[in-house]
Amino acid sequence: MQRHEGLQRAHEPGSYWQRGSAPMVFSEDLPTSVDTVVIGGGFFGTATAYWLACAGVSVALLERTSLAYGATGRNGGFVMSGTAESYTAVIARLGHETALAISKITIENRQLLRQVLAEEALSCDYREPGNLNLALNEVQLAARTLDVKALQADGFRAELLDRQQVQAMIDTPIGSEIAGGVYIPEQGLVHSAHLVQELARAAQRRGASMHIAKVLKLRSNGDGVRIETTRGVVQAGAVVVALNAWTGELVPALAEYIVPVRGQVLAYQPSVPVFKMGIGADVTATGEYWQQALDGTIVLGGCREVAADQDVGVRNMQPDENVQAAIEQVLPRLFPSLSNLIVAQRWAGLMAFTRDYLPIVDHVPGIERAWFMGGFCGHGMPFGMRFGQLLAEAVRKGEQPVALQPFGLQRETLSWRSIRATA
């Protein structure tokens, strides 16, 4: 038997991406045994299930609510290269070699995404118009200049723009405080929920099964893992935990490393196109970002700085009035002609942060055949396809690929900064 995925929870408003998506069809019954179980139906879970199915592995994906219900379906729809911090900040924190390796993984991710979209004929509004990061004063412009020099020195494409060049890229008058910006070509935009659902269907076509069930407990059992759920027990040869902000609920030992952080977003009613590419700006210290979807809807998020403790540790996905009010001020401030935009939707989602702004991918502590990934710091889309492929390899071979070593749980930088200073 089959049934549709779970419905949106009434007290957690859906996003623009989620409300424009058709429900997936899930299997009614859980298997009693399977080669691999993937827990979590976001980008990372579906990508891992897809690559496992491509390799001929028997794989079941378990999701407790609906596909793309968490961060993937509530984000800004950006598929960028690089990390959550600027390139110079990553070099200063982690060293040049690690920063370069991480950036290369995100470029490989983009190449894989292009490949899979073409091979599987997936429809998710994907395009690569580039990304524009605005500088709102001379101090920000100086920092952007250093980033461009560092990126160019390592062979990455980046262009420093003055105020006039920024204006030429935006089809509405820019405000006086915009001093310039950085344009990085080939950066992608996507309909996030459609991407996950299309990828899940591709995984199903290749043999993966999809199930609605909340996982309650994992434990080693012989050469595999016993998965206890609300709908029964599954015995698997291996498990991949792809829960991001909810990782600590299932694996308490990881709660101190991966901390939920609420992000808030709104969508304006469709309007005349003025933004061709993804755009970011540091209007507040925690950063703002937006894109204009193909139907004219502007999706805009950020302004965590005005929330108590910057929304670190918040576990509910209800929008906050103060943060939403701050988000509404962003576009009229930067683009004075955009003062008559009408809000159509408001929502919040849970990101997951780590102390060093770098995701973690490793074995689940105490369960050798279980792997996890999480802590993408609001910047997960640049990693999903490649991490899913690498974790599929880890499951098949039983060891961590060399490319994932910078993201291991034992790295030194996970223990030397406070989470609030980072997030």
Side-chain angles (χ1 to χ4, degrees), residues 52 57 238 363 368-369 371 390-402:
L52 286 166
V57 176
H363 286 285
E368 182 63 24
R369 295 291 296 162
W371 299 79
L390 289 167
L391 268 178
E393 177 185 335
V395 166
R396 297 196 315 273
K397 296 182 178 179
E399 60 184 24
Q400 183 154 324
V402 173

Side-chain angles (χ1 to χ4, degrees), residues 34-186:
V34 67
D35 290 345
T36 304
V37 164
V38 176
I39 304 170
F43 188 23
F44 294 92
T46 53
T48 304
Y50 171 79
W51 289 115
L52 286 166
C54 286
V57 176
S58 170
V59 56
L61 184 146
L62 309 185
E63 163 58 43
R64 68 177 178 179
T65 306
S66 58
L67 289 181
Y69 185 76
T72 303
R74 297 168 181 272
N75 62 21
F78 288 67
V79 185
M80 298 169 62
S81 58
T83 64
E85 291 185 297
S86 69
Y87 193 53
T88 51
V90 177
I91 291 173
R93 185 192 308 280
L94 303 174
H96 182 262
E97 183 178 351
T98 299
L100 183 60
I102 294 167
S103 290
K104 286 182 176 179
I105 278 183
T106 64
I107 291 174
E108 292 168 359
N109 178 81
R110 184 171 61 208
Q111 294 168 340
L112 280 175
L113 180 59
R114 292 169 179 166
Q115 171 189 323
V116 173
L117 291 178
E119 291 178 352
E120 301 288 352
L122 307 186
S123 177
C124 56
D125 294 346
Y126 182 73
R127 65 266 190 212
E128 293 182 357
N131 186 80
L132 176 61
N133 196 326
L134 301 176
L136 305 186
N137 52 54
E138 293 302 321
V139 173
Q140 289 186 10
L141 187 59
R144 304 289 190 273
T145 302
L146 293 177
D147 285 332
V148 168
K149 289 180 178 178
L151 287 165
Q152 291 176 341
D154 282 338
F156 300 119
R157 296 177 63 188
E159 303 171 22
L160 185 67
L161 307 180
D162 61 24
R163 176 179 166 80
Q164 289 71 34
Q165 290 170 312
V166 169
Q167 179 63 85
M169 301 185 78
I170 297 174
D171 293 330
T172 188
I174 63 176
S176 59
E177 67 185 301
I178 296 177
V182 175
Y183 175 69
I184 301 181
E186 297 185 324

Side-chain angles (χ1 to χ4, degrees), residues 70 91 113 148 152 157 243 247 283 295 322 343 386:
I91 291 173
L113 180 59
V148 168
Q152 291 176 341
R157 296 177 63 188
L243 295 177
T247 303
V283 177
D295 67 357
N322 293 331
V343 177
R386 182 63 173 137

Side-chain angles (χ1 to χ4, degrees), residues 221-376:
N221 187 19
D223 293 332
V225 184
R226 175 184 168 92
I227 302 108
E228 299 177 10
T229 83
T230 52
R231 302 187 57 228
V233 175
V234 182
Q235 178 68 29
V239 170
V240 175
V241 178
L243 295 177
N244 205 30
W246 290 272
T247 303
E249 291 184 1
L250 181 60
V251 187
L254 297 174
E256 65 176 296
Y257 298 103
I258 299 175
V259 176
V261 177
R262 181 172 60 181
Q264 299 194 43
V265 194
L266 59 76
Y268 289 110
Q269 289 183 4
S271 57
V272 175
V274 294
F275 303 117
K276 301 181 183 69
M277 69 290 293
I279 304 183
D282 291 337
V283 177
T284 69
T286 49
E288 286 64 50
Y289 53 89
W290 63 94
Q291 68 150 297
Q292 192 161 18
L294 295 181
D295 67 357
T297 297
I298 298 175
V299 176
L300 167 65
C303 296
R304 284 192 301 108
E305 185 186 41
V306 307
D309 290 331
Q310 298 183 358
D311 271 348
V312 175
V314 174
R315 293 181 177 273
N316 76 71
M317 293 194 290
Q318 297 172 314
D320 173 83
E321 290 184 3
N322 293 331
V323 174
Q324 289 287 320
I327 295 174
E328 284 191 62
Q329 297 171 25
V330 171
L331 294 188
R333 169 179 164 177
L334 299 180
F335 310 100
S337 296
L338 300 182
S339 58
N340 59 348
L341 297 171
I342 300 172
V343 177
Q345 288 176 252
R346 306 179 189 274
W347 67 90
L350 296 189
M351 304 176 286
F353 278 67
T354 65
R355 291 183 175 92
D356 61 2
Y357 253 67
L358 195 64
I360 308 173
V361 188
D362 212 327
H363 286 285
V364 172
I367 307 178
E368 182 63 24
R369 295 291 296 162
W371 299 79
F372 78 96
M373 54 183 157
F376 292 93

